[in-house]
Amino acid sequence: MVKRTSLAHCECPIARSLDAIGDWWSLLVIRDALLGRRRFGEFQKSLGLAKNILSVRLRTLVDRGILQMQPASDGSAYHEYVPTEKGRGIFAILVALRQWSEEFDEHPEEIATILVDRDKGRPVRPLELHASDGRLLAFGDTTLKPRPTPSLRVNGSRQGRAR
C-alpha cells in the first residue's frame, strides 16, 4: 500500500484543502451527509463502498471536524454522522463541481438530477465570483499576491514583524 503524502503544511490553500477532502470517496461521503444520510449503512448502500474504506473515510472526516458523531436520533444504540459547520462549508465546493460537470461533461443528459431552489423549485444559477465592489470576475481578472504580514504591538505601538 502506498502511503499518501500529506499536504497539510503546504503554503497553497488548495493543496491544504485537498489534504482534508481531496479524495473522491470523502467528497461523496460529505455529499451524502449533506443530502441527509447519517448512518454507516446508509453511506455504504449509497456508495457501494467496502466497509474498511468507508470506516477510514468517516473516521478521518470526524477527526478533521467535517462530520461529528452523535447518538442516533431514533434513540437506538447506533450513532449518526452529521455535518458540522465546517462540513456544511463544503456545500459550495460540491455545487461548483456539479455545475462544472453539467457544463463540460461529454454526456450531461445522463446526469439524473438538477439542483433547484427548494422554495421556488427553479434551477440554481451558476456560481459566480465577484470583486468586493460587485464586479463579476473571470479567470484572467484575478492574481495572487503575498498575504500581508501581521503587525505586532510592542509597548503600545504597531511594528512590522521581523523576519
Side-chain angles (χ1 to χ4, degrees):
M1 180 175 190
V2 177
K3 181 149 172 67
R4 209 177 86 153
T5 301
S6 175
L7 303 173
H9 299 293
C10 289
E11 291 181 3
C12 173
I14 295 171
R16 293 167 77 122
S17 297
L18 289 172
D19 192 69
I21 60 168
D23 72 88
W24 62 74
W25 290 124
S26 293
L27 283 173
L28 293 174
V29 168
I30 295 164
R31 176 207 62 192
D32 278 6
L34 292 172
L35 289 171
R37 292 186 178 91
R38 298 285 180 258
R39 294 197 179 176
F40 186 95
E42 292 175 320
F43 291 113
Q44 189 180 26
K45 183 177 179 184
S46 170
L47 300 171
L49 187 56
K51 289 180 181 181
N52 62 327
I53 295 172
L54 179 56
S55 292
V56 169
R57 293 308 183 279
L58 287 168
R59 185 172 34 253
T60 300
L61 292 169
V62 169
D63 290 347
R64 292 182 181 261
I66 294 167
L67 298 177
Q68 66 182 7
M69 286 177 34
Q70 62 186 38
S73 57
D74 64 3
S76 67
Y78 295 102
H79 58 267
E80 297 177 342
Y81 296 92
V82 179
T84 62
E85 181 180 348
K86 186 176 181 180
R88 291 186 302 274
I90 297 170
F91 175 70
I93 296 167
L94 296 176
V95 171
L97 287 169
R98 175 186 187 90
Q99 290 180 349
W100 177 82
S101 184
E102 289 170 342
E103 183 173 348
F104 295 108
D105 192 273
E106 290 185 23
H107 302 285
E109 70 281 356
E110 295 174 358
I111 298 171
T113 60
I114 60 171
L115 185 64
V116 298
D117 176 324
R118 185 183 302 270
D119 289 340
K120 304 290 182 184
R122 294 190 179 136
V124 173
R125 289 176 34 190
L127 294 177
E128 297 178 333
L129 182 65
H130 293 267
S132 60
D133 63 7
R135 289 176 298 117
L136 182 62
L137 297 174
F139 170 73
D141 299 327
T142 63
T143 190
L144 299 174
K145 69 178 197 177
R147 181 180 299 279
T149 304
S151 297
L152 301 176
R153 290 197 176 268
V154 179
N155 297 331
S157 64
R158 291 182 73 104
Q159 297 182 355
R161 190 170 77 188
R163 292 197 174 229

